[in-house]
Amino acid sequence: MPTTRLTRHADSMPVAVYNQLQAILQRDPEADRIALKWSEPLQPEVQSRGIGAQDVRLIWCPSELAVREALVTHQGPEKLIILSPFDQSELGKDVLARLWKNEPQRISPWRTLEQLAHVQTIDPRLTRHQGRWMAEALLDGFDRFQGHIAFGEVLDLETAWQALAWGYLDYTAPSLELPSLFRWSLQDNAGRRIAALPESVREHLGEWLRPVLPRVGPLVETLLREGHAHQLLAVGLACSVMYAPELEAASPLDTQSIYSGRGRFIERYLNGYKVGSDVLGEFGNSALETTRSLLREQGQKAVSPSLSQAEQILASLDFMPALGLSPVLPGGLMQRLSALAQALEEGCEKRRVEAAEQAWENLRAHWLTHDTQRHDQMQRAEMALRLLRWLVQGAPSLTGTAHHMLSHYVRDGSFADWARTQLWAGEDHEALAHVYATLSELATRRREQQNRDFGHHLRAIARGDALAESLVPVERALDQVVKPIVTAKKPVLLVVMDGMNEAVYRELQEDLAAYGWIEVNEKAEAPPRCLVSALPSATEFSRCSLLSGALSRGNATQEKQAFAAHTGLRQLLSTRFPPLLLHKQDIQQPGSGGIAASARAQIAGTEHKVVGVVINAIDDQLSSSSQVVVKWSLQSIPMLRQVLEAAREGGRAVIITSDHGHVLDHSSQYIQTQEDTHNGERYREEGTAPSEQEVEVSGPRVLTASQRAVIPWSEKLRYTKGRNHGYHGGGSLQEVVIPLGVYISASDSVGMQGWTELPRRFPNWWAVDSSIGNIVEKRAQTASSPSRPASKKKKKAMPEERAPDLFADEMPIESSAPSVKQNATHETGEMHPDSWIEALLTSSVYQQSLQRAGRSAVSSEQMRQLLELLEQGKGTVMETQIAQHLAIPRIRLRGFLSSAQKLLNVDGYPVLKTDRESRTVVLDKVSLKVQFEL
């Protein structure tokens, strides 16, 4: 019989009695004169209590006479409850006739539980093998899990443990799984819950864990018993390092240190319990996967305590040098950053990029790099690797015509300057900050070499010598760029970003695509275009020439008048609505940074077919001396974003350009000039003869009063005492080359007849993944392109030593990155990597999928290229790589991937998956081969 005298609601009624009465009254609310067989006296012998909404009167009856007396004297409204040591055989028939159910009720915890849980029967595994302890534990915790557990008709073993876990541990997962246990351990009270377990439950924890988790269950049980419930995830993360498969091969720790540390871990955390290394490795892998899921769902904050605890565990066991093996621990991230710094430094010294590329891949594989707080740091690291590739594989010195050098800067050098600008922002990580400074210095040295070579062509530009069609003198922009669009009956918005150079334009292009703007050109295979500044490359000369359509010098008022009076444009427009030019004071709402209502109406309206807008955000920043680093985007230039939205509303084609470029101030040298002459930031009209860093130019495109000026080709000279962020007026490539792009909105249903959408084009060295470095300029094939059989010829390997001297004076301009071996046949005789792709494209299942898709947006050639890229990436590729590889504008990428999924995900199986958070595309090759019967 029960000996426990625990009370409920502060009364002295035994728990077993209370539970039995509660079950009886739930089943039969009208029950009265209930007799319970109970061997121990009740103290006090008569009690009035409440059970739910029912009032009861309990009487202890030590004899049959006392039972008769209680039955005779009882009067309502309380229900009579008789406790006595007698069973049915010991009471008279007249007594039994007066009792509920005509017999005393035996108090069985299982029977009570059956009644409370409203189940028809109890699983025999519970009553025969678990014993009374489980029934009593379930009854004692019934209030905590009541309403949360669905028992059904049979109370089985699994449900019983689920109820115990909910009631005693606050473990609310629907089933017992290791990832759920890890998540449970993150609760603040996990450790306290384990410590407060009744001894009977604690002794049987293994019976809950081991049947479901046969391999790791004993390990988890030991950790819980040893007081590490709150560290379960942290211990798992530590195990993922200590028992990593590559630890002994790739760790800086020697074998003795590894085994010594593992031994101390077993003693400290498992109290000597012997567990196989494979089990501990499995435990660690599960902890990693759980952490990855938590990072995706809740961010780093959810797991930060566990990450810190894991590092403390590893530090106490002398495993800190191996942190770099962890894809999630912060210390591992720091080690990978240091490894990248070392590899970049070696790359600068040895003129090789392989080690740096591998270090970058290792860094990018760390999960914490996907945190938004790491975005800028990762972008700088990526830019550093690109800059190293440029230094190793690019041309240190350029020779050739002005056309040659200007074109090369547009398609190549501007990207290097974009990367340089990113590194100039500095870095928190000390080793990376040092190597970034080294890379910046090497890149600056090369830029100086190229600007020096370009300086020889400044006189030809000053004279106005003929250039290629893609290089438009700034004064011819209205005729050669704006007028053809107007002729095509398309309203135009000319956006002049004052002072924007090609590097800033490259950065802005990232956002233009994201905001739904597509670059177009009259010719599908046209080379990149740019404008060529007037000289000096200053606003009063070059911007006035741009907006006048003729070489001229003037201010905003003169620009407005000349723009409205441009003969070539007025001939195509209504005399009532001539070309309209809006400056800063015209487009900005007074008292705010937003666009004025009148300017929005003029841009979004249809009256003025040609509208020009001058935005000074970049030039204003250059004139500042603040220490703020600006990330150029449509978010950081809200005026540009609002102007573009107004243009979208008006169905306008948008021309984005500038009046001149600029150089940034980094260790510039002030050159004093005569104070009584008119000099700019980076030009002078009179004074001493040109130095070796300057060029004297003269001719019709030099717009000073004397049509002559001295301008520096070097980016390191300035003629103003005050230091600004940047300067313009000189003759460097960064200042003379003016960005130019024509865009239409992706939502423009009319478009531009005869104009072609252009993919983003990048230099070979830009793609950090070298496997796509030489193919980013491939054009997208049309949907009707025929598929071609895979080549079975083995590509000839390129010599390893192809890298030029970083400081060489001469290098052929067209040198490019060494080709990467692709589709090489395995020596083991395995299938050629392209064979399964060819088999897929010709399979009957794929052909049926094509027929169902109808006019699919994915051609056979595009699918082949996508699968080849995924094969090279071992099944995982970044979306940006796909866009570059297939030359697909980002605005079109989602639609392309959706069409590819329709073809590959047969019957809904996720063969091709996209992860929007990490922006990766994943191919399940095993499932693909099953679905397509390969």
Side-chain angles (χ1 to χ4, degrees):
M1 287 296 164
T3 58
T4 304
R5 292 189 175 274
L6 293 176
T7 60
R8 198 176 286 267
H9 306 305
D11 62 35
S12 58
M13 185 189 306
V15 172
V17 172
Y18 180 92
N19 288 335
Q20 182 77 11
L21 290 175
Q22 184 183 35
I24 291 173
L25 294 175
Q26 282 182 2
R27 178 167 295 185
D28 184 2
E30 302 301 323
D32 195 3
R33 294 176 174 83
I34 302 169
L36 299 178
K37 184 175 181 180
W38 187 257
S39 60
E40 297 194 14
L42 187 68
Q43 296 295 333
E45 294 185 349
V46 179
Q47 299 180 12
S48 292
R49 294 287 182 262
I51 298 179
Q54 306 274 16
D55 292 328
V56 300
R57 182 176 180 82
L58 282 81
I59 301 178
W60 164 251
C61 299
S63 65
E64 182 182 16
L65 181 62
V67 173
R68 292 177 181 276
E69 181 180 358
L71 289 170
V72 171
T73 60
H74 171 66
Q75 295 179 352
E78 296 174 313
K79 296 180 181 296
L80 176 63
I81 310 298
I82 297 173
L83 273 68
S84 76
F86 308 115
D87 57 21
Q88 182 178 2
S89 62
E90 297 173 292
L91 294 175
K93 292 184 179 180
D94 60 325
V95 174
L96 295 175
R98 294 185 174 188
L99 297 178
W100 181 74
K101 296 288 186 181
N102 304 123
E103 64 179 353
Q105 305 298 306
R106 290 182 175 273
I107 296 180
S108 163
W110 288 117
R111 181 69 181 275
T112 302
L113 186 64
E114 180 180 292
Q115 295 173 348
L116 285 175
H118 301 290
V119 296
Q120 298 297 321
T121 185
I122 303 290
D123 188 336
R125 291 178 296 171
L126 293 173
T127 56
R128 294 175 186 172
H129 304 299
Q130 292 302 322
R132 194 181 186 91
W133 74 268
M134 178 172 278
E136 292 178 348
L138 286 168
L139 288 172
D140 192 45
F142 191 81
D143 286 350
R144 294 190 291 273
F145 61 75
Q146 184 180 18
H148 299 292
I149 304 297
F151 292 99
E153 295 186 358
V154 178
L155 175 58
D156 56 30
L157 179 62
E158 291 74 18
T159 307
W161 271 114
Q162 183 185 4
L164 287 176
W166 188 298
Y168 289 96
L169 299 179
D170 200 22
Y171 178 84
T172 59
S175 60
L176 176 59
E177 296 174 339
L178 187 54
S180 299
L181 280 171
F182 282 132
R183 288 171 179 261
W184 164 81
S185 72
L186 299 179
Q187 299 180 23
D188 293 336
N189 61 357
R192 294 194 299 272
R193 289 276 190 177
I194 290 292
L197 279 177
E199 189 61 31
S200 60
V201 178
R202 182 193 298 272
E203 289 178 357
H204 294 86
L205 273 178
E207 297 173 22
W208 175 45
L209 296 167
R210 297 185 184 215
V212 183
L213 304 172
R215 285 176 58 80
V216 299
L219 170 61
V220 174
E221 179 188 359
T222 303
L223 288 170
L224 296 180
R225 289 181 183 278
E226 294 300 317
H228 302 299
H230 64 295
Q231 292 182 307
L232 211 58
L233 184 60
V235 172
L237 292 173
C239 286
S240 72
V241 174
M242 292 186 293
Y243 295 91
E246 64 273 28
L247 178 64
E248 296 183 34
S251 169
L253 294 171
D254 57 53
T255 303
Q256 182 177 355
S257 299
I258 293 172
Y259 283 96
S260 173
R262 288 174 176 175
R264 279 177 283 149
F265 167 74
I266 296 295
E267 291 298 324
R268 292 180 190 177
Y269 290 87
L270 302 179
N271 196 24
Y273 177 74
K274 299 299 182 182
V275 186
S277 297
D278 57 336
V279 174
L280 289 163
E282 179 183 333
F283 184 67
N285 289 336
S286 183
L288 285 176
E289 288 305 314
T290 302
T291 304
R292 183 199 287 268
S293 297
L294 288 167
L295 284 171
R296 289 175 175 171
E297 297 166 12
Q298 305 175 36
Q300 187 175 344
K301 185 177 180 180
V303 295
S304 285
S306 296
L307 300 182
S308 298
Q309 292 169 5
E311 290 193 349
Q312 292 170 9
I313 293 172
L314 292 169
S316 69
L317 301 172
D318 298 327
F319 272 96
M320 290 300 284
L323 280 186
L325 296 176
S326 171
V328 68
L329 294 179
L333 175 59
M334 292 300 105
Q335 288 189 11
R336 294 188 189 200
L337 288 170
S338 298
L340 175 63
Q342 182 179 353
L344 288 171
E345 188 169 6
E346 291 177 358
C348 291
E349 295 173 357
K350 299 179 181 179
R351 302 170 297 161
R352 299 185 67 89
V353 298
E354 292 81 4
E357 286 179 341
Q358 184 59 56
W360 160 255
E361 290 299 330
N362 291 340
L363 174 62
R364 192 168 61 172
H366 199 284
W367 301 342
L368 297 187
T369 59
H370 301 298
D371 189 274
T372 53
Q373 295 181 355
R374 294 280 178 184
H375 177 268
D376 289 349
Q377 184 179 49
M378 288 299 293
Q379 188 178 54
R380 286 191 295 271
E382 186 175 30
M383 289 296 188
L385 179 54
R386 286 168 169 160
L387 207 55
L388 177 62
R389 291 172 62 92
W390 180 67
L391 288 167
V392 171
Q393 300 169 357
S397 180
L398 299 176
T399 58
T401 64
H403 157 67
H404 197 184
M405 299 197 70
L406 289 167
S407 298
H408 186 269
Y409 182 77
V410 173
R411 69 174 185 267
D412 184 279
S414 59
F415 288 91
D417 283 337
W418 179 15
R420 277 207 304 161
T421 303
Q422 297 292 315
L423 296 195
W424 277 334
E427 175 56 52
D428 301 339
H429 191 279
E430 183 178 1
L432 280 176
H434 174 75
V435 75
Y436 288 177
T438 300
L439 279 167
S440 295
E441 175 59 30
L442 293 175
T444 299
R445 200 178 303 176
R446 173 170 292 183
R447 171 59 61 233
E448 286 288 275
Q449 287 179 322
Q450 295 179 349
N451 279 334
R452 179 195 62 197
D453 294 341
F454 178 64
H456 299 310
H457 301 289
L458 288 173
R459 294 185 180 89
I461 292 174
R463 292 193 302 266
D465 291 359
L467 295 171
E469 183 181 358
S470 61
L471 308 174
V472 182
V474 69
E475 65 274 15
R476 299 291 300 159
L478 295 185
D479 285 313
Q480 296 185 22
V481 181
V482 179
K483 188 176 176 181
I485 300 176
V486 179
T487 303
K489 307 300 183 182
K490 190 73 174 176
V492 180
L493 174 68
L494 173 64
V495 179
V496 181
M497 302 295 298
D498 197 331
M500 177 175 68
N501 63 9
E502 278 281 348
V504 173
Y505 176 61
R506 295 303 180 193
E507 191 170 1
L508 281 176
Q509 276 188 307
E510 297 286 297
D511 255 15
L512 289 171
Y515 276 80
W517 290 97
I518 301 170
E519 187 175 6
V520 295
N521 197 289
E522 293 174 284
K523 300 178 181 179
E525 296 296 329
R529 304 174 74 187
C530 74
L531 303 183
V532 180
S533 170
L535 299 177
S537 56
T539 300
E540 62 178 308
F541 308 121
S542 205
R543 194 175 82 186
C544 190
S545 298
L546 167 66
L547 298 172
S548 302
L551 290 168
S552 56
R553 176 179 184 177
N555 55 28
T557 300
Q558 294 165 318
E559 292 170 359
K560 191 184 296 283
Q561 294 171 351
F563 189 73
H566 186 268
T567 304
L569 294 179
R570 292 204 60 149
Q571 292 174 349
L572 303 174
L573 303 175
S574 167
T575 55
R576 293 181 54 198
F577 299 105
L580 175 66
L581 180 62
L582 305 175
H583 287 88
K584 182 176 182 178
Q585 64 273 17
D586 302 314
I587 61 173
Q588 186 166 331
Q589 181 70 30
S592 78
I595 186 173
S598 58
R600 184 188 296 275
Q602 289 168 327
I603 297 170
T606 58
E607 291 86 0
H608 291 277
K609 300 301 182 184
V610 177
V611 178
V613 172
V614 178
I615 297 178
N616 299 92
I618 296 171
D619 199 45
D620 289 346
Q621 175 67 11
L622 294 174
S623 302
S624 165
S625 59
S626 67
Q627 297 180 334
V628 176
V629 176
V630 177
K631 305 291 288 184
W632 296 113
S633 67
L634 297 189
Q635 288 296 322
S636 62
I637 313 178
M639 181 60 72
L640 175 60
R641 186 180 70 251
Q642 294 167 33
V643 163
L644 289 176
E645 287 307 309
R648 195 196 305 271
E649 183 180 344
R652 294 181 181 271
V654 177
I655 302 169
I656 298 182
T657 188
S658 179
D659 51 354
H660 52 72
H662 67 263
V663 294
L664 294 176
D665 180 77
H666 295 283
S667 303
S668 67
Q669 177 185 1
Y670 166 61
I671 304 297
Q672 188 172 6
T673 59
Q674 296 182 12
E675 296 181 359
D676 58 348
T677 61
H678 180 80
N679 298 312
E681 295 174 339
R682 280 182 42 86
Y683 73 91
R684 56 190 178 90
E685 296 187 36
E686 298 180 14
T688 59
S691 68
E692 64 175 14
Q693 292 177 297
E694 298 171 309
V695 175
E696 183 173 357
V697 294
S698 61
R701 299 195 76 248
V702 180
L703 302 181
T704 60
S706 61
Q707 288 196 313
R708 65 169 296 278
V710 175
I711 57 178
W713 55 259
S714 170
E715 65 180 33
K716 292 184 173 295
L717 301 186
R718 74 179 195 278
Y719 305 134
T720 177
K721 286 185 178 180
R723 299 192 80 115
N724 296 334
H725 270 305
Y727 315 97
H728 50 81
S732 68
L733 285 162
Q734 301 99 294
E735 297 162 286
V736 174
V737 173
I738 301 174
L740 175 64
V742 180
Y743 295 84
I744 61 172
S745 172
S747 61
D748 189 341
S749 59
V750 178
M752 292 176 64
Q753 188 67 31
W755 288 59
T756 303
E757 179 179 328
L758 293 179
R760 289 291 306 279
R761 289 172 288 201
F762 301 90
N764 290 341
W765 52 266
W766 185 258
V768 172
D769 181 354
S770 59
S771 65
I772 63 173
N774 291 325
I775 53 180
V776 292
E777 297 216 24
K778 286 186 178 180
R779 301 294 183 265
Q781 303 295 320
T782 61
S784 60
S785 297
S787 61
R788 55 171 173 78
S791 172
K792 301 196 181 217
K793 292 183 179 179
K794 197 171 182 180
K795 292 190 176 180
K796 186 176 180 180
M798 297 293 289
E800 289 189 3
E801 295 299 332
R802 287 291 302 276
D805 188 344
L806 286 179
F807 312 109
D809 290 330
E810 297 297 332
M811 176 76 184
I813 187 171
E814 298 301 333
S815 64
S816 60
S819 300
V820 177
K821 293 182 182 179
Q822 298 179 14
N823 305 329
T825 303
H826 297 284
E827 293 181 2
T828 57
E830 295 180 6
M831 179 185 291
H832 190 287
D834 271 357
S835 298
W836 69 268
I837 299 176
E838 183 64 23
L840 166 71
L841 297 177
T842 57
S843 68
S844 59
V845 178
Y846 185 77
Q847 294 304 316
Q848 292 171 6
S849 186
L850 275 175
Q851 292 176 4
R852 287 194 300 268
R855 296 185 60 186
S856 172
V858 180
S859 68
S860 296
E861 179 61 24
Q862 286 177 316
M863 181 62 76
R864 184 191 304 280
Q865 292 179 20
L866 174 62
L867 295 175
E868 287 174 349
L869 183 61
L870 285 163
E871 174 75 2
Q872 293 164 11
K874 297 182 179 179
T876 303
V877 177
M878 299 291 291
E879 288 183 357
T880 54
Q881 294 178 351
I882 295 175
Q884 293 169 3
H885 187 119
L886 277 74
I888 298 173
R890 287 193 179 182
I891 193 66
R892 306 290 193 201
L893 185 60
R894 292 290 183 193
F896 170 81
L897 292 175
S898 177
S899 298
Q901 286 177 306
K902 289 178 182 178
L903 293 175
L904 296 181
N905 294 356
V906 179
D907 297 329
Y909 284 89
V911 171
L912 187 69
K913 296 178 288 186
T914 60
D915 188 327
R916 288 185 176 269
E917 183 175 344
S918 62
R919 295 185 177 182
T920 56
V921 177
V922 180
L923 177 70
D924 185 345
K925 190 173 174 181
V926 174
S927 297
L928 179 143
K929 290 187 175 182
V930 172
Q931 295 306 311
F932 288 91
E933 302 174 2
L934 303 182

